[in-house]
Amino acid sequence: YKLKNADLAAVEDAYSKAAETGMQVLAEEFVEGRELTVGVLDKGEGRGLEAMPIIEIKAPKGDYDFEHKYYSDETVYVCPAEISSEKTKEIQDAVVKAANLVRASGWSRIDVMLREDGSFALLEINTAPGMTPHSLVPLAARTEGISYGELVKLVASGASLKG
């Protein structure tokens, strides 16, 4: 359940309904803002992880749900996102730091919410993001001049069976 400006009764109701599934219920802060995602890629040559161009996800009514991600043609992806160069660098530095902190390697993607006041929250890291030609990391790669084939080679060259 997605609750905005909810009172205690609404939270309790949502919790009760979610608990009926018999599964564990997780509640987290609702972060409102512009939805962004940032690919992180090891481009080889010992350079380590680097942030890719930021993508802004513009879904109808701000609902980037399963339907709008996989089936709808209404979602718009803006790459690079229309954000100041200073804020872009700040977000990219934060996602690289986060990826390094969790010891991500090869490639990953981190979702970010950019609040109206300019602050931002890192939401989650996907350490095995989609790699179809229509996925978000390949979109960011194309934006910086890396072809899909080159991207696949970069990801494969960094692959390892080490745990």
Side-chain angles (χ1 to χ4, degrees), residues 58-94:
K58 295 183 177 185
K61 298 180 185 172
D63 258 339
Y64 191 51
D65 57 11
F66 190 82
E67 175 70 25
H68 290 113
K69 184 173 184 175
Y70 295 107
Y71 296 110
S72 170
D73 291 327
E74 298 174 89
T75 302
V76 175
Y77 302 95
V78 180
C79 187
E82 296 167 345
I83 301 171
S84 73
S85 57
E86 295 82 14
K87 185 58 64 178
T88 294
K89 180 170 178 7
E90 185 181 352
I91 292 170
Q92 289 175 321
D93 287 350

Side-chain angles (χ1 to χ4, degrees), residues 23-44:
M23 298 176 67
Q24 187 174 20
V25 177
L26 171 69
E28 60 186 5
E29 173 190 4
F30 178 77
V31 181
E32 191 166 16
R34 294 168 64 185
E35 190 154 0
L36 311 174
T37 194
V38 188
V40 179
L41 178 65
D42 184 345
K43 296 177 185 170

Side-chain angles (χ1 to χ4, degrees), residues 28-29 31 35-36 110-113 121-125:
E28 60 186 5
E29 173 190 4
V31 181
E35 190 154 0
L36 311 174
I110 296 180
D111 296 334
V112 180
M113 291 298 282
L122 305 186
L123 301 178
E124 64 184 351
I125 184 168

